[in-house]
Amino acid sequence: MTHYPLIAPRPPKLSEHLDALRRVEQSGIYSNNGPEVRGFEADVTERLFGGAGASLAVANATLGLMIAIREAATPRFAPGALALMPALTFAATAQAAEWAGLTPLIADIDPETWSIDPDIEERLLALHGRRIAVVVPYATFGNAIDLDRYAWLQRRYEVGVVIDAASSLGTIDAAGKGFGADAPFATVFSMHATKTFAVAEGGLVHSGDTGLIDRLRAMINFGFQGQRSATLPGLNAKLPEVLAVMARAKLEEIEAVCAGRAAVEAAYRDALGDRFMLQTPLGTRRAIQFMPVLLPEALAGKRAAIVDTLAAEGVGCGQYFSPHLGEQPWFRDTALIEPTPVSDAVAGRMLSLPVTDAMTADDARRIAATLARACDAQAGTAPTAAYPTAPAIASLLVIGGGPAGTALLDAATKRGLLPDLAASGLVMVERDTMLGGGRLGRYGINSDSTAETFLSAIKDNVHPELADLIDHPAARDVARYSGALGVPLTVAGPLIRAMGERLGSLVERHGGTLLTGHEAIEARQTGDGLWNVRLRRLADGAEIEQRARHIAIATGGHQPLDRLAQQQVAGAPLVASAGDRLIQSDEVLGVDGYARIADLLGGKRDPRVVVIGGSTSAIATIALLLKSSPAIPWGPQAITLLHRRALRPFYPTPEAAHEEGFTDFGPDDICPVSGFVYRLAGFRLEARELVLRMMRVDGRTPEPRVRFHRIAGDDAEARGHLAEADLVIAAMGYRPRVLPLSDANGDPIDLAAHHDAAMVDKHCRIVGADGQPIANAFGIGLAAGFVPWGPMGGEKSFVGQANGLWQWQNDVGLMIVDQVLGQSARAVA
């Protein structure tokens, strides 16, 4: 039986290069960029990169990544700076970023090329802005990814770029050049014994920017430039002369090696392509290290058995990269991880087949046939994709696992009730691949909750898994805003996701069920007092019905377009007044919203904007317009706020208000529990400061680019502002996303939320249009319309809806938990 090892290292034999070794001995130079290293660098630049740019030999590729990442990140290097990279790469990519002082930001991949998804990449660059100090794409399995696009990203976002091309030395791009030639950033290659360019150990950094290579050369020599005095961050990463001898020898044979491996890859593709999913190749030739292939989805659960069968047939097999970065324990605790559904699926089905210098195309065809037989043997017993085991009747089915849904779980932890809630038959339904996602982290504004509020959810939590998050990078990022006017939601979002992931693990450990990647379509009452909830799995559209004693809708809010058609402002229909100049604030507040506004107003010499509304989102919209960059040339009073109700600032005590000369409040405006003035109606943090300025409280100077105008009935002045505006932004709050509910006869239930009323009552119960609560149905979250009462506090004068993460994570969430567990206990009794 012929044996095919996955990897068969074949570096040059030193015994065949005695003359070169004698040359090293005679020179008396064994390291420190000696003649062999310099000769190799010049030769490899000429032969693999067409003489363009310069190359730097390093002791290994990980050290090369470390110095290149650190150098590229320098303009944005600061505590909490991020290195954006794909999930499907080797641990060295993320480790190098961490050793360089950055936090890895791990993102999902494209389903065809298996490189970082370009749309996600650009979304995250817009989302995190200057916090991303460097982008570190991986040239997956030797693929020649589009470096021109990364040069554009480097210019567009003024961000550092370093290409991890560990397996690509010898790859040729689509233009027929060596991969990395002419690129304005560093491309880092490995010369490890297991790579196609096999030496023993070593790496190579190439760039079209010779000045960059000069800086990196100093950095690998302790940061010395010229004299022995550190002027740059540095370490010792120099390649020894003996290894340079081997590298020069390998360079002589690399063309033949790559050509042979390319023939093996072509044979694999011909034999496997009709049955297995293969990576889309990029470039004209890959310096392929092994052949990656995805098992059919139905056989993913049988991968271990297939690997054992291949081994018994003499075929070595690997699983690069499974687990991917986002699944590895160290990075789960130290990195920021985006949802990675494609990486999860690809890593879960990945096999790596042998490609060695000794193999032929016939060998590849024989291995492909062996793989096919192994899969056929397992096909009859392969499990089909099934739903996770869920209770026949859930005690509570929570629809939505974003900030509000996870806040309910966090509230349960505050009284040690999460284990009981989970064990009673809790089912969480979430469209995303993990709990804690939602849209909160995709807004480009600051929170109206403090950093301390976000951290209170985990600090000293009874569950160590949550308490330990206080040292997670996401929590440290939030903590940096302690005492500030809120937290950027792009910073708060990763902490909510990290909490959601751990809360989900706690739910499952204590007997609850997570149905991530699912959506609820509708819920119908049954004759026996239960709910039948129809669920759809997003991956394949499969549907089930889940019965539940209670449901909780935590699906957030939105700004429906039909509301604009009915809106009257200053005595005239808003749509008629604003026409095609009208947009909603939710479009502005997203991370790419300001760029859209800048485009809409581009070319206007004196742009005029009207914002309509008296909510936090209205003030947040104005703050975003004022502080974002590149700045729009706002003139005096260029931004007008039209509002109906008086704008109220929050104060911690009546005395604090009086000290600043603010007296526009009475006894009904003071919370009887906390003593706060306008506890619910008052603007806080960044919005509060703008309101106080515009009201000239305590001698504050109004923002000259803004004016506030309170609408009074048929208001001609307000209509004039609307007529003059280049853009009108409606910031009229949010309405809840309400799941369709029907009664036991299948007839739709008319809800109060359908008529612009609050979705829930004082007990968080969903309310019908008749004002009566719907049995065993709860709501929580943005736009639910809950108003605190009794021991929860709040001023008597408050009108409207109260939305607050702290409330959801405490009294509001516990109100639902207590009702569910109380009824469950009575049912058991």
Side-chain angles (χ1 to χ4, degrees), residues 651-678:
Y651 276 97
T653 64
E655 292 75 19
H658 287 139
E659 285 177 8
E660 290 201 344
F662 181 77
T663 60
D664 189 13
F665 62 94
D668 287 350
D669 303 317
I670 301 172
C671 170
V673 175
S674 65
F676 296 163
V677 178
Y678 294 122

Side-chain angles (χ1 to χ4, degrees), residues 407-430:
L408 188 153
L409 301 180
D410 192 68
T413 70
K414 301 293 180 67
R415 286 225 308 255
L417 296 176
L418 185 60
D420 292 341
L421 183 65
S424 71
L426 173 66
V427 176
M428 300 289 299
V429 177
E430 166 57 31

Side-chain angles (χ1 to χ4, degrees), residues 23 35-37 39-40 43 243-252:
R23 192 165 64 235
E36 297 300 326
V37 165
F40 167 64
D43 291 346
L243 292 180
V245 168
M246 298 178 71
R248 297 185 83 170
K250 193 65 185 181
L251 183 59
E252 295 299 322

Side-chain angles (χ1 to χ4, degrees), residues 368-599:
T370 303
L371 173 62
R373 290 194 301 272
C375 291
D376 289 341
Q378 296 296 327
T381 58
T384 57
Y387 273 89
T389 302
I393 301 176
S395 65
L396 173 64
L397 188 144
V398 179
I399 302 164
T406 54
L408 188 153
L409 301 180
D410 192 68
T413 70
K414 301 293 180 67
R415 286 225 308 255
L417 296 176
L418 185 60
D420 292 341
L421 183 65
S424 71
L426 173 66
V427 176
M428 300 289 299
V429 177
E430 166 57 31
R431 289 177 56 88
D432 210 337
T433 57
M434 59 186 290
L435 300 187
R439 298 192 62 213
L440 183 142
R442 299 188 180 187
Y443 286 102
I445 58 174
N446 285 352
S447 68
D448 58 359
S449 298
T450 65
E452 291 81 359
T453 295
F454 285 103
L455 296 173
S456 69
I458 56 175
K459 187 177 181 181
D460 301 325
N461 194 284
V462 296
H463 296 282
E465 299 92 328
L466 291 173
D468 289 348
L469 275 176
I470 203 71
D471 295 320
H472 190 279
R476 292 199 299 269
D477 287 345
V478 170
R480 292 189 182 98
Y481 291 88
S482 295
L485 297 179
V487 181
L489 291 181
T490 56
V491 174
L495 177 59
I496 300 295
R497 285 198 298 274
M499 288 172 52
E501 180 184 18
R502 299 204 181 181
L503 284 165
S505 297
L506 284 167
V507 167
E508 290 186 309
R509 184 189 313 161
H510 292 288
T513 303
L514 299 187
L515 293 178
T516 53
H518 288 71
E519 64 180 356
I521 303 170
E522 62 178 357
R524 179 173 54 84
Q525 291 176 325
T526 66
D528 52 1
L530 302 177
W531 288 96
N532 251 4
V533 184
R534 186 155 63 98
L535 305 174
R536 177 189 294 128
R537 182 165 54 194
L538 299 177
D540 56 11
E543 294 185 4
I544 62 165
E545 286 196 348
Q546 174 66 53
R547 303 183 80 197
R549 291 189 178 89
H550 308 87
I551 61 173
I553 298 175
T555 47
H558 68 132
Q559 294 181 333
L561 285 172
D562 58 1
R563 180 175 56 178
L564 295 182
Q566 305 166 10
Q567 192 69 47
Q568 296 276 323
V569 175
L574 176 58
V575 171
S577 299
D580 60 4
R581 296 171 293 134
L582 178 63
I583 64 173
Q584 300 207 77
S585 60
D586 200 62
E587 300 177 62
V588 181
L589 299 178
V591 292
D592 56 352
Y594 181 78
R596 182 182 178 195
I597 297 301
D599 287 341

Side-chain angles (χ1 to χ4, degrees), residues 16-70:
E16 297 178 357
H17 300 278
L18 296 179
D19 288 346
L21 293 177
R22 292 189 185 98
R23 192 165 64 235
V24 171
E25 291 177 347
Q26 290 168 1
S27 73
I29 299 174
Y30 297 92
S31 185
N32 291 347
N33 297 308
E36 297 300 326
V37 165
R38 291 301 188 106
F40 167 64
E41 291 171 346
D43 291 346
V44 76
T45 300
E46 183 63 34
R47 297 176 65 168
L48 295 191
F49 303 106
S55 302
L56 173 67
V58 290
N60 60 61
T62 304
L63 290 170
L65 283 171
M66 287 167 57
I67 60 141
I69 289 171
R70 180 63 182 85

Side-chain angles (χ1 to χ4, degrees), residues 89-112:
T89 185
F90 191 51
T93 314
Q95 294 282 22
E98 291 195 349
W99 280 108
L102 306 175
T103 298
L105 173 60
I106 297 170
D108 209 2
I109 60 170
D110 179 88
E112 295 183 356

